[in-house]
Structure formats: structure tokens, C-alpha cells
Amino acid sequence: DAGVIQSPRHEVTEMGQEVTLRCKPISGHNSLFWYRQTMMRGLELLIYFNNNVPIDDSGMPEDRFSAKMPNASFSTLKIQPSEPRDSAVYFCASRQTSTGELFFGEGSRLTVL
Amino acid sequence: DQQVKQNSPSLSVQEGRISILNCDYTNSMFDYFLWYKKYPAEGPTFLISISSIKDKNEDGRFTVFLNKSAKHLSLHIVPSQPGDSAVYFCAAVDSSYKLIFGSGTRLLVRP
């Protein structure tokens, strides 16, 4: 299996621009998570989907952030408009069952200038 | 307020010695805990886990200890190897099966 696939690996953009991060979970996995890694807070959970349905989005920082999962094999995290404080590494992760191991993608490093 | 805390941002140990990474949590309802390891430019990978019905789980050089009364867990690596140098994240599973991570501890194993 190819594992969790994220794109782009690196994104540099200017403040105010829209950013879209993409994730393909492992086939057969029914839960998908978006995390953000920063020096200060480590791995913060942004949103969690189960069977394509958002279960908990309490970690989404503000209305500028939105996430979708239109089908079992694809999810997006969108930031509009982006701000410099959004600069971080964003990880997507998936798992097969509610208590199974969480598999992470390699991350998307976002820099907002 | 962070529910899972790793108060040591970094740790440096000599090769062959024991590495002890610590983690504290605040929610007594957490019943499953995991450690993940992360190398630069890679995603975190699962290392070892422990259920709240146990107080110890061992896998090769890695052992996780859980002290429920103190809401504390630790990861022991012995003997430590240079390849163990990475960031280690502690995580807890909450009642909705979310994984809540700590801020990580950067381990450096010196040759």
C-alpha cells in the first residue's frame, strides 16, 4: 500500500491567498484526521472525519479554515485567506478502525509570507 | 489547555544508556495511550501503545509505563542508539476515539 498521500509537500504563498491541501487516505481506512504541527503546540488536531462525516471540528482555528471529505479516498483542507501565523506543517492521518493505529502522511509544509 | 503534556522539549543521552521520556495527562477518562516517533521531513510513525488496564508494555528496546493514579506515562529506550534520535510524541485516545498529542520531546542520542 502506498500509505497516506499528501500534496503539496511544500507550499509557499503570500498572505491573503487561498491554500488547499490534499490528502488521500489508505484504502479501506474509515477515519481521517488533519493535524497541524507547530513548535509551541506540537501536533494539534484540527478536524476528524469518520466514514466521510466530520465528527469533531473543534480544533479548527477559525472560519478561515475549512475541510471536506467528498468521498472515502479524498480530503481537502482549505485556508482562505491565509495568514503568516498559519505557517506550519499540516499532517493528514488515517486509520482502519476506531482503535486502530493511526498512519500519517509525510506532511505539507506551508509558509505564508 | 493542553490535555497531554510533555514538559521536556529535549533530551540528550549517551549511546548505550537509557532514555526516559515523560508524559502527563489531565483527563482521567483517557484509557489508551500511544507513543509516536518522528524523523525530520517525515510523518510520525507508531512506536508502542498501552491500555489503561496495564501498567507496562514492552517491545524490544522500548517499554512504556503507565501510572494511572499520577496520570503519568513514560517511554524507556534501552539501550539507546543514535538511530533513535527523533522527536517523540505521546498521545492519548479520548472517548470519541480522537488521538490527542503532546508537544513532543526531541531526543538526541550521542555516539
Side-chain angles (χ1 to χ4, degrees), chain B residues 80-98:
Chain B
S80 302
Q81 299 174 354
D84 296 330
S85 297
V87 177
Y88 289 79
F89 290 97
C90 168
V93 180
D94 75 1
S95 56
S96 61
Y97 304 108
K98 294 183 312 195

Side-chain angles (χ1 to χ4, degrees), chain B residues 57-97:
Chain B
N57 187 27
E58 190 173 350
D59 183 2
R61 297 184 297 112
F62 302 90
T63 302
V64 56
F65 295 91
L66 176 61
N67 182 335
K68 289 188 290 296
S69 61
K71 297 192 186 71
H72 177 83
L73 64 156
S74 60
L75 174 68
H76 293 212
I77 307 173
V78 55
S80 302
Q81 299 174 354
D84 296 330
S85 297
V87 177
Y88 289 79
F89 290 97
C90 168
V93 180
D94 75 1
S95 56
S96 61
Y97 304 108

